[in-house]
Amino acid sequence: MSYLVGKIALDITAGAPNNARGENNIGEVKQMWVGRNRHPYVSAQAFRRWVRDSLPAEVAVSPVTRSGSKANQQAYTAGRPDLYLDDDLFGYMVALKDGSYQRDTVLATGTLVSVVPRNPTRDFGTMSRGFGPDENPVIHEHEHYSAELAADILVDLPRVGVFQLQGSGLRRNLTDTAAQEAESAGAQRTTFRGLDSIGLPIEQRRRRVAVLLNTLAEVRGGAKRALHYGERSPALVLLAPLKGGNNPFTRVLAARAVREDHGYPHLETVFDAEVLRQEIAAWSDELDGPVQVGWAPGFLADQRERVRDELDDLITAGDVIIDHPRTVLRGLAKRFEAGEHDEWFEDPLR
């Protein structure tokens, strides 16, 4: 098996989880235009920062080095995926005069975009505490919104704990010295996707995937928590083991007109069970296990039970599992740690 692919969604209520560059003392949220419609979003960089910051305290993270000044600054991590889980899973680039090397991400995340168009609201505020009776307040404004945000997600399982040595420059994951140190600590030489590499023991690889899944179940973060605190763990997560890097489940969440509002279609976020059914059928030769859907009760109103009914035959057959996001993610993490999915770390010939 090669990949865990799927979808992740957040439920934002009167939130401002990711700020844009403000103007004229107005704090704006990140948003994009699609035709005439505005869609708030959380950047992939922001979400990845939330995941990184939500890692367990006992997990050592890669130290960051900052160098240069003014326009010629750079910042980079240690570039040691053998030592640091975040370097392994999130990737890095280290470009120095005496050598450059990098690692592409194992955890690929899309931009979390509002499924349905939403116009952010401006909140007017003042600061006058401690001012004299004749002093004017300081005026400020900021945006916030309510929306269901969704993004694609992919985990390249065979690359977890496996590091490329072959090639020059940015094709390499490790320096020669780092590779020797990794081997001395237990990593073994291997050939991976046609290239000389080294791999960590399977126990460490299992543990790293489990930590990632457990962390996704309990993501915390976001901007403006003093004024717009909200839960940022997934309201919905869909994961399926697929033998290739495609993601056929990107369209299971969609905007649908559910009624008319003053002559205009009223759009709502809908989980399309028929899309999921057809994608499972089309990709049945590539699927290597059930499609697991973690769905928080109350998210998308009563759709959870409707989808259960519509997919009852697939649920009975074991092709689809629907449970709470935390239960799905933590359960999958336990099975990884127990070695039940070791075959997913193998990279099949295609």
Side-chain angles (χ1 to χ4, degrees), residues 169-210:
L170 297 180
R171 294 184 61 192
R172 305 185 65 191
N173 294 165
L174 293 170
T175 64
D176 291 338
T177 301
Q180 291 171 5
E181 292 176 359
E183 284 190 88
S184 299
Q188 295 184 339
R189 290 269 176 171
T190 185
T191 299
F192 181 74
R193 295 178 182 171
L195 299 170
D196 293 337
S197 306
I198 58 172
L200 298 179
I202 188 64
E203 294 81 8
Q204 292 187 40
R205 300 174 71 193
R206 294 172 185 159
R207 175 61 180 160
R208 290 186 172 190
V209 174

Side-chain angles (χ1 to χ4, degrees), residues 237-252:
V237 61
L238 183 154
L239 288 175
L242 214 68
K243 296 176 184 177
N246 297 91
N247 188 347
F249 307 110
T250 186
R251 290 169 290 275
V252 295

Side-chain angles (χ1 to χ4, degrees), residues 327-339:
T327 303
V328 166
L329 289 165
R330 287 169 61 85
L332 188 55
K334 287 180 180 179
R335 291 192 291 277
F336 266 101
E337 283 206 279

Side-chain angles (χ1 to χ4, degrees), residues 219-233:
V219 172
R220 304 174 301 279
K224 285 191 167 58
R225 281 180 280 182
L227 300 176
H228 297 290
Y229 168 75
E231 178 62 17
R232 299 295 177 249
S233 65

Side-chain angles (χ1 to χ4, degrees), residues 90-263:
F90 293 90
Y92 52 85
M93 182 176 71
V94 181
L96 303 173
K97 291 181 179 179
D98 57 351
S100 301
Y101 51 102
Q102 74 171 25
R103 177 169 173 79
D104 290 335
T105 189
V106 168
L107 170 66
T109 48
T111 301
L112 285 150
V113 182
S114 174
V115 180
V116 173
R118 289 287 183 261
N119 294 323
T121 296
R122 282 191 179 179
D123 186 76
F124 177 81
T126 63
M127 171 57 183
S128 58
R129 186 178 66 253
F131 288 18
D134 298 324
E135 293 181 287
N136 293 323
V138 175
I139 296 173
H140 56 86
E141 295 180 78
H142 68 272
E143 294 182 332
H144 62 88
Y145 60 89
S146 295
E148 299 87 24
L149 309 183
D152 293 345
I153 189 170
L154 177 148
V155 183
D156 190 349
L157 291 171
R159 289 185 57 235
V160 176
V162 178
F163 317 121
Q164 178 182 326
L165 303 179
Q166 191 175 347
S168 59
L170 297 180
R171 294 184 61 192
R172 305 185 65 191
N173 294 165
L174 293 170
T175 64
D176 291 338
T177 301
Q180 291 171 5
E181 292 176 359
E183 284 190 88
S184 299
Q188 295 184 339
R189 290 269 176 171
T190 185
T191 299
F192 181 74
R193 295 178 182 171
L195 299 170
D196 293 337
S197 306
I198 58 172
L200 298 179
I202 188 64
E203 294 81 8
Q204 292 187 40
R205 300 174 71 193
R206 294 172 185 159
R207 175 61 180 160
R208 290 186 172 190
V209 174
V211 168
L212 173 61
L213 293 171
N214 283 326
T215 302
L216 286 173
E218 301 177 356
V219 172
R220 304 174 301 279
K224 285 191 167 58
R225 281 180 280 182
L227 300 176
H228 297 290
Y229 168 75
E231 178 62 17
R232 299 295 177 249
S233 65
L236 184 143
V237 61
L238 183 154
L239 288 175
L242 214 68
K243 296 176 184 177
N246 297 91
N247 188 347
F249 307 110
T250 186
R251 290 169 290 275
V252 295
L253 288 176
R256 296 283 187 267
V258 297
R259 65 177 185 274
E260 282 196 358
D261 187 2
H262 300 289

